[in-house]
Structure formats: C-alpha cells, structure tokens
Amino acid sequence: MERCTRNHQVRIEADLTLAPAVKDQQPIPIGDFIIDVAMHRAWVRGVETHLTPSEFQLLLIFTTHPGKLVKGSILREMFWLNPTARAGSLRVLVGALRSKIEAGKTPRYLLTERSFGYRFITSPLQSEVDRPPS
C-alpha cells in the first residue's frame, strides 16, 4: 500500500511540476488570481494575500486544476503522505485558505464537493452566469 501511495504522490507532484505555467516560473494569471510561483506570492482581486507555505501550495494545486474536482484523499496524501489522514486536518487547511481568499462567509472560489473533495472556481461571477437556473 505504501508503494502505491508513494507512486501516486510522485505522479501528482510530477503533474504539478510539469504544468507549463509552473515549470516556466512565470506568474500565473487565472481569473481573479495571480500566482507568482517563483516568489511564492499571491494576489486575489488585485490585492496581495500573505499565505503560509501550505496554503500557497494548496492554492497552487487548485489554480493549476481550475474547475476540476480535486479529491480530498489526494490532497491528504500530498500534504500528510497518507490518503487516510484525518479529514479534519485538511478541512482546517482549506478553511485557513478560504479565510484569506474569500470575500464573504459563503465560499465562492473554493467549493466543497461533499464526500469527494474540492473544486476551485477562478471567477465566481462567470460560473454563476454559466450555471443553469435551479
């Protein structure tokens, strides 16, 4: 099991390392965000936001996979080297990131997909326009 987990982590890290925007170390403009990988800096809606190294890494993961579901088990494996690590630890990290990037109490950028993981929306207003009426 450990070998499978380690191989999976290596694939995830390789995917992030090989992403063109990350590899070139150029700032990544994506929706309401600018991520400067080389300097470990982030701007949200034009305002620099100070992030811990873990928060920055989490935001980088989401910005390199916009709109896609990122499973909680994969995130736990990346951060704690264990896909079965306590989900509460991940919730705390996500909550800390949300507190720094969200404008209000209701998440608009970092959405929870209950029992699955998280989905990052780069420009919430655009996603609301694209969403079918309830």
Side-chain angles (χ1 to χ4, degrees), residues 15-40:
D15 181 44
L16 291 174
T17 302
L18 297 175
V22 175
K23 188 175 82 175
D24 295 341
Q25 299 292 299
Q26 298 296 317
I28 303 168
I30 181 161
D32 294 340
F33 297 81
I34 298 174
I35 310 299
D36 187 336
V37 178
M39 300 301 293
H40 289 271

mmCIF file of all heavy atoms in Angstrom, residues 15-40:
data_model
loop_
_atom_site.group_PDB
_atom_site.id
_atom_site.type_symbol
_atom_site.label_atom_id
_atom_site.label_comp_id
_atom_site.label_asym_id
_atom_site.label_seq_id
_atom_site.Cartn_x
_atom_site.Cartn_y
_atom_site.Cartn_z
ATOM 1 N N ASP A 15 2.939 15.967 -12.203
ATOM 2 C CA ASP A 15 1.923 16.696 -12.955
ATOM 3 C C ASP A 15 2.022 18.188 -12.640
ATOM 4 O O ASP A 15 2.001 19.024 -13.527
ATOM 5 C CB ASP A 15 0.531 16.161 -12.611
ATOM 6 C CG ASP A 15 -0.563 16.870 -13.380
ATOM 7 O OD1 ASP A 15 -0.388 17.091 -14.600
ATOM 8 O OD2 ASP A 15 -1.594 17.200 -12.766
ATOM 9 N N LEU A 16 2.153 18.533 -11.369
ATOM 10 C CA LEU A 16 2.270 19.929 -10.984
ATOM 11 C C LEU A 16 3.577 20.534 -11.465
ATOM 12 O O LEU A 16 3.626 21.670 -11.921
ATOM 13 C CB LEU A 16 2.158 20.076 -9.465
ATOM 14 C CG LEU A 16 0.784 19.784 -8.887
ATOM 15 C CD1 LEU A 16 0.843 19.826 -7.373
ATOM 16 C CD2 LEU A 16 -0.241 20.762 -9.407
ATOM 17 N N THR A 17 4.661 19.778 -11.382
ATOM 18 C CA THR A 17 5.969 20.269 -11.791
ATOM 19 C C THR A 17 6.019 20.496 -13.295
ATOM 20 O O THR A 17 6.630 21.448 -13.763
ATOM 21 C CB THR A 17 7.064 19.268 -11.385
ATOM 22 O OG1 THR A 17 6.988 19.086 -9.981
ATOM 23 C CG2 THR A 17 8.440 19.770 -11.751
ATOM 24 N N LEU A 18 5.341 19.645 -14.042
ATOM 25 C CA LEU A 18 5.405 19.735 -15.492
ATOM 26 C C LEU A 18 4.369 20.683 -16.084
ATOM 27 O O LEU A 18 4.409 20.953 -17.271
ATOM 28 C CB LEU A 18 5.230 18.341 -16.113
ATOM 29 C CG LEU A 18 6.336 17.350 -15.755
ATOM 30 C CD1 LEU A 18 6.000 15.982 -16.310
ATOM 31 C CD2 LEU A 18 7.679 17.833 -16.262
ATOM 32 N N ALA A 19 3.453 21.181 -15.271
ATOM 33 C CA ALA A 19 2.475 22.138 -15.783
ATOM 34 C C ALA A 19 3.238 23.330 -16.352
ATOM 35 O O ALA A 19 4.106 23.879 -15.694
ATOM 36 C CB ALA A 19 1.538 22.573 -14.668
ATOM 37 N N PRO A 20 2.945 23.741 -17.583
ATOM 38 C CA PRO A 20 3.751 24.776 -18.241
ATOM 39 C C PRO A 20 3.912 26.053 -17.412
ATOM 40 O O PRO A 20 5.007 26.573 -17.302
ATOM 41 C CB PRO A 20 2.980 25.053 -19.533
ATOM 42 C CG PRO A 20 2.177 23.833 -19.777
ATOM 43 C CD PRO A 20 1.881 23.240 -18.421
ATOM 44 N N ALA A 21 2.842 26.573 -16.834
ATOM 45 C CA ALA A 21 2.944 27.823 -16.086
ATOM 46 C C ALA A 21 3.844 27.661 -14.866
ATOM 47 O O ALA A 21 4.567 28.575 -14.492
ATOM 48 C CB ALA A 21 1.561 28.299 -15.677
ATOM 49 N N VAL A 22 3.810 26.507 -14.226
ATOM 50 C CA VAL A 22 4.634 26.281 -13.042
ATOM 51 C C VAL A 22 6.089 26.091 -13.451
ATOM 52 O O VAL A 22 6.985 26.664 -12.850
ATOM 53 C CB VAL A 22 4.115 25.059 -12.252
ATOM 54 C CG1 VAL A 22 5.031 24.750 -11.091
ATOM 55 C CG2 VAL A 22 2.697 25.308 -11.770
ATOM 56 N N LYS A 23 6.323 25.293 -14.495
ATOM 57 C CA LYS A 23 7.679 24.999 -14.929
ATOM 58 C C LYS A 23 8.413 26.266 -15.355
ATOM 59 O O LYS A 23 9.588 26.439 -15.071
ATOM 60 C CB LYS A 23 7.644 23.984 -16.074
ATOM 61 C CG LYS A 23 9.024 23.475 -16.469
ATOM 62 C CD LYS A 23 8.946 22.406 -17.499
ATOM 63 C CE LYS A 23 8.783 23.025 -18.852
ATOM 64 N NZ LYS A 23 8.812 22.086 -19.939
ATOM 65 N N ASP A 24 7.728 27.163 -16.038
ATOM 66 C CA ASP A 24 8.347 28.398 -16.515
ATOM 67 C C ASP A 24 8.547 29.420 -15.404
ATOM 68 O O ASP A 24 9.219 30.421 -15.613
ATOM 69 C CB ASP A 24 7.492 29.021 -17.612
ATOM 70 C CG ASP A 24 7.429 28.155 -18.859
ATOM 71 O OD1 ASP A 24 8.297 27.276 -19.028
ATOM 72 O OD2 ASP A 24 6.505 28.367 -19.659
ATOM 73 N N GLN A 25 7.971 29.193 -14.247
ATOM 74 C CA GLN A 25 8.103 30.088 -13.104
ATOM 75 C C GLN A 25 7.609 31.496 -13.406
ATOM 76 O O GLN A 25 8.116 32.457 -12.866
ATOM 77 C CB GLN A 25 9.548 30.110 -12.588
ATOM 78 C CG GLN A 25 10.039 28.758 -12.113
ATOM 79 C CD GLN A 25 9.344 28.287 -10.854
ATOM 80 O OE1 GLN A 25 9.418 28.931 -9.832
ATOM 81 N NE2 GLN A 25 8.657 27.172 -10.927
ATOM 82 N N GLN A 26 6.680 31.631 -14.309
ATOM 83 C CA GLN A 26 6.071 32.913 -14.610
ATOM 84 C C GLN A 26 4.826 33.076 -13.747
ATOM 85 O O GLN A 26 4.179 32.088 -13.398
ATOM 86 C CB GLN A 26 5.672 32.978 -16.088
ATOM 87 C CG GLN A 26 6.839 32.857 -17.041
ATOM 88 C CD GLN A 26 7.800 34.025 -16.899
ATOM 89 O OE1 GLN A 26 7.381 35.165 -16.787
ATOM 90 N NE2 GLN A 26 9.087 33.730 -16.875
ATOM 91 N N PRO A 27 4.476 34.306 -13.393
ATOM 92 C CA PRO A 27 3.217 34.483 -12.654
ATOM 93 C C PRO A 27 2.055 33.902 -13.443
ATOM 94 O O PRO A 27 2.003 34.010 -14.666
ATOM 95 C CB PRO A 27 3.106 36.009 -12.526
ATOM 96 C CG PRO A 27 4.510 36.489 -12.605
ATOM 97 C CD PRO A 27 5.196 35.546 -13.574
ATOM 98 N N ILE A 28 1.156 33.250 -12.715
ATOM 99 C CA ILE A 28 0.001 32.612 -13.331
ATOM 100 C C ILE A 28 -1.210 33.526 -13.136
ATOM 101 O O ILE A 28 -1.704 33.662 -12.016
ATOM 102 C CB ILE A 28 -0.299 31.253 -12.661
ATOM 103 C CG1 ILE A 28 0.912 30.339 -12.723
ATOM 104 C CG2 ILE A 28 -1.510 30.592 -13.310
ATOM 105 C CD1 ILE A 28 0.782 29.107 -11.841
ATOM 106 N N PRO A 29 -1.675 34.190 -14.201
ATOM 107 C CA PRO A 29 -2.919 34.953 -14.077
ATOM 108 C C PRO A 29 -4.087 34.008 -14.369
ATOM 109 O O PRO A 29 -4.145 33.390 -15.433
ATOM 110 C CB PRO A 29 -2.772 36.034 -15.152
ATOM 111 C CG PRO A 29 -1.885 35.412 -16.186
ATOM 112 C CD PRO A 29 -1.017 34.393 -15.471
ATOM 113 N N ILE A 30 -4.977 33.839 -13.414
ATOM 114 C CA ILE A 30 -6.107 32.941 -13.624
ATOM 115 C C ILE A 30 -7.325 33.505 -12.900
ATOM 116 O O ILE A 30 -7.352 33.581 -11.679
ATOM 117 C CB ILE A 30 -5.778 31.497 -13.185
ATOM 118 C CG1 ILE A 30 -6.951 30.584 -13.447
ATOM 119 C CG2 ILE A 30 -5.297 31.426 -11.770
ATOM 120 C CD1 ILE A 30 -6.604 29.124 -13.480
ATOM 121 N N GLY A 31 -8.280 33.959 -13.663
ATOM 122 C CA GLY A 31 -9.478 34.548 -13.087
ATOM 123 C C GLY A 31 -9.148 35.740 -12.200
ATOM 124 O O GLY A 31 -8.447 36.661 -12.622
ATOM 125 N N ASP A 32 -9.609 35.694 -10.970
ATOM 126 C CA ASP A 32 -9.393 36.772 -10.006
ATOM 127 C C ASP A 32 -8.058 36.650 -9.277
ATOM 128 O O ASP A 32 -7.812 37.367 -8.312
ATOM 129 C CB ASP A 32 -10.526 36.775 -8.964
ATOM 130 C CG ASP A 32 -11.882 37.129 -9.573
ATOM 131 O OD1 ASP A 32 -11.907 37.730 -10.669
ATOM 132 O OD2 ASP A 32 -12.909 36.812 -8.952
ATOM 133 N N PHE A 33 -7.200 35.752 -9.722
ATOM 134 C CA PHE A 33 -5.950 35.436 -9.022
ATOM 135 C C PHE A 33 -4.727 35.647 -9.907
ATOM 136 O O PHE A 33 -4.785 35.460 -11.116
ATOM 137 C CB PHE A 33 -5.954 33.965 -8.570
ATOM 138 C CG PHE A 33 -7.026 33.660 -7.587
ATOM 139 C CD1 PHE A 33 -8.325 33.413 -8.006
ATOM 140 C CD2 PHE A 33 -6.753 33.627 -6.234
ATOM 141 C CE1 PHE A 33 -9.322 33.150 -7.088
ATOM 142 C CE2 PHE A 33 -7.744 33.365 -5.311
ATOM 143 C CZ PHE A 33 -9.031 33.124 -5.739
ATOM 144 N N ILE A 34 -3.624 35.998 -9.255
ATOM 145 C CA ILE A 34 -2.305 35.966 -9.880
ATOM 146 C C ILE A 34 -1.408 35.233 -8.889
ATOM 147 O O ILE A 34 -1.321 35.622 -7.722
ATOM 148 C CB ILE A 34 -1.738 37.367 -10.170
ATOM 149 C CG1 ILE A 34 -2.639 38.107 -11.164
ATOM 150 C CG2 ILE A 34 -0.308 37.252 -10.706
ATOM 151 C CD1 ILE A 34 -2.237 39.540 -11.398
ATOM 152 N N ILE A 35 -0.768 34.181 -9.362
ATOM 153 C CA ILE A 35 0.104 33.377 -8.514
ATOM 154 C C ILE A 35 1.526 33.511 -9.058
ATOM 155 O O ILE A 35 1.790 33.149 -10.202
ATOM 156 C CB ILE A 35 -0.307 31.884 -8.533
ATOM 157 C CG1 ILE A 35 -1.806 31.703 -8.275
ATOM 158 C CG2 ILE A 35 0.542 31.079 -7.560
ATOM 159 C CD1 ILE A 35 -2.286 32.202 -6.954
ATOM 160 N N ASP A 36 2.425 34.041 -8.245
ATOM 161 C CA ASP A 36 3.830 34.145 -8.613
ATOM 162 C C ASP A 36 4.563 32.991 -7.936
ATOM 163 O O ASP A 36 4.889 33.058 -6.752
ATOM 164 C CB ASP A 36 4.399 35.496 -8.179
ATOM 165 C CG ASP A 36 5.817 35.726 -8.684
ATOM 166 O OD1 ASP A 36 6.529 34.726 -8.961
ATOM 167 O OD2 ASP A 36 6.214 36.898 -8.792
ATOM 168 N N VAL A 37 4.801 31.944 -8.699
ATOM 169 C CA VAL A 37 5.385 30.717 -8.161
ATOM 170 C C VAL A 37 6.819 30.957 -7.693
ATOM 171 O O VAL A 37 7.206 30.524 -6.609
ATOM 172 C CB VAL A 37 5.343 29.588 -9.217
ATOM 173 C CG1 VAL A 37 5.990 28.325 -8.678
ATOM 174 C CG2 VAL A 37 3.907 29.319 -9.639
ATOM 175 N N ALA A 38 7.589 31.669 -8.491
ATOM 176 C CA ALA A 38 8.999 31.888 -8.168
ATOM 177 C C ALA A 38 9.171 32.652 -6.859
ATOM 178 O O ALA A 38 10.078 32.371 -6.080
ATOM 179 C CB ALA A 38 9.693 32.632 -9.307
ATOM 180 N N MET A 39 8.307 33.603 -6.597
ATOM 181 C CA MET A 39 8.427 34.441 -5.398
ATOM 182 C C MET A 39 7.498 33.996 -4.260
ATOM 183 O O MET A 39 7.486 34.614 -3.203
ATOM 184 C CB MET A 39 8.133 35.901 -5.760
ATOM 185 C CG MET A 39 9.085 36.474 -6.798
ATOM 186 S SD MET A 39 10.803 36.437 -6.290
ATOM 187 C CE MET A 39 10.773 37.598 -4.963
ATOM 188 N N HIS A 40 6.696 32.961 -4.503
ATOM 189 C CA HIS A 40 5.733 32.472 -3.511
ATOM 190 C C HIS A 40 4.825 33.599 -3.029
ATOM 191 O O HIS A 40 4.664 33.832 -1.828
ATOM 192 C CB HIS A 40 6.430 31.794 -2.324
ATOM 193 C CG HIS A 40 7.035 30.480 -2.687
ATOM 194 N ND1 HIS A 40 6.355 29.302 -2.605
ATOM 195 C CD2 HIS A 40 8.249 30.177 -3.208
ATOM 196 C CE1 HIS A 40 7.126 28.322 -3.023
ATOM 197 N NE2 HIS A 40 8.280 28.824 -3.400
#
